[in-house]
Amino acid sequence: MPGEGGGEPESARVARLIRDDILDGVRQPGDRLVERDLADELGVSRVPVRDALKTLVSEGLVTLRPRTWAVVREFTASDIADLREVRSALEVLTFKLAAQRHTRAGLARLRAALDAELAAARAGDAVAARRSAADFHERVTELAANQLLDELEGVLRSRMRWLLGRHDDLLRVAEEHEQLYEAVARRDVAGVEELALRHLETGRRLHDGRRGAPDPPS
């Protein structure tokens, strides 16, 4: 049912809140998601929580367990390899199409996402920087103006936002995005292809380095 005032449906709001917590690292892989506890925490009945968890299962962020609880998905090495393969197959094409097809209005939206990411990275705001970095990639997909890419991005969005957030070098990623933006803006298809390939390799190295790093002191 819609929320008060005919706005966002309650189940969508609950899904959004839990999704953000997962992507921002507030809820960690393996954390239990119990309907009753979530309903109490968010001040809703169990029905929208149940529907929200089903949505997050379909997005690949949550794994159901028996009865009335679930867990935040633990991505295996194989899961991550699959995501990287799909990202590698789509991202270069997406940037090349964006360089060829972007509009002035679309480019302005891309610049806004980039500016937000740069500001957050320079301020050391990891959550905001990672969110804006994912926004940047989604704006590039919009600029590509390919309906099938749009559909695939929608299906993969949550898992790709998770993958894109697995790094700590906020400024480096933002600066690479700025280089990509400039190549898209000047319609440099060859240049943007080279930069996109380099960006994919940067993401792989940063993620692998993060996985191998020791846990921070408590």
Side-chain angles (χ1 to χ4, degrees):
M1 293 178 59
E4 293 184 6
E8 184 179 29
E10 194 76 288
S11 61
R13 183 181 73 87
V14 172
R16 174 173 54 79
L17 293 172
I18 299 172
R19 182 189 302 114
D20 286 348
D21 279 352
I22 293 172
L23 296 177
D24 295 342
V26 176
R27 300 185 192 274
Q28 293 288 318
D31 282 358
R32 289 180 60 162
L33 301 168
V34 181
E35 284 183 14
R36 179 186 61 254
D37 296 343
L38 289 168
D40 290 344
E41 177 185 337
L42 299 173
V44 298
S45 72
R46 291 170 63 169
V47 172
V49 172
R50 187 176 305 130
D51 291 342
L53 291 177
K54 289 177 182 177
T55 295
L56 296 173
V57 168
S58 72
E59 293 178 10
L61 294 181
V62 166
T63 302
L64 288 178
R65 290 289 186 262
R67 298 184 182 176
T68 59
W69 61 285
V71 296
V72 177
R73 179 174 178 175
E74 299 186 68
F75 286 88
T76 66
S78 178
D79 293 331
I80 293 167
D82 288 347
L83 285 170
R84 284 176 174 170
E85 287 175 355
V86 172
R87 182 187 175 197
S88 296
L90 298 179
E91 187 155 299
V92 175
L93 172 63
T94 303
F95 272 102
K96 289 171 66 176
L97 290 176
Q100 293 170 335
R101 299 175 177 177
H102 70 76
T103 63
R104 182 178 298 177
L107 198 63
R109 290 193 296 272
L110 184 64
R111 183 74 230 188
L114 172 61
D115 287 344
E117 182 188 1
L118 284 165
R122 288 165 179 155
D125 186 340
V127 169
R130 291 179 184 131
R131 286 186 179 187
S132 296
D135 290 343
F136 177 87
H137 282 272
E138 290 171 16
R139 297 296 85 75
V140 172
T141 302
E142 292 174 3
L143 294 186
N146 180 295
Q147 184 175 346
L148 184 54
L149 278 176
D150 284 341
E151 292 173 7
L152 291 171
E153 189 274 327
V155 170
L156 295 169
R157 179 177 299 153
S158 290
R159 278 169 285 186
M160 284 301 172
R161 288 184 82 95
W162 178 88
L163 182 67
L164 292 168
R166 303 306 99 188
H167 72 88
D168 296 309
D169 198 339
L170 308 174
L171 192 56
R172 179 173 181 179
V173 170
E175 288 171 346
E176 288 195 3
H177 282 171
E178 187 165 37
Q179 292 171 356
L180 283 160
Y181 168 84
E182 291 169 353
V184 168
R186 63 177 180 265
R187 301 189 189 274
D188 182 357
V189 177
V192 86
E193 179 176 10
E194 180 181 348
L195 289 167
L197 289 169
R198 189 186 308 164
H199 188 54
L200 287 165
E201 178 60 20
T202 295
R204 184 192 65 77
R205 289 200 310 270
L206 292 178
H207 180 252
D208 288 349
R210 192 184 197 211
R211 289 175 66 198
D215 292 333
S218 57

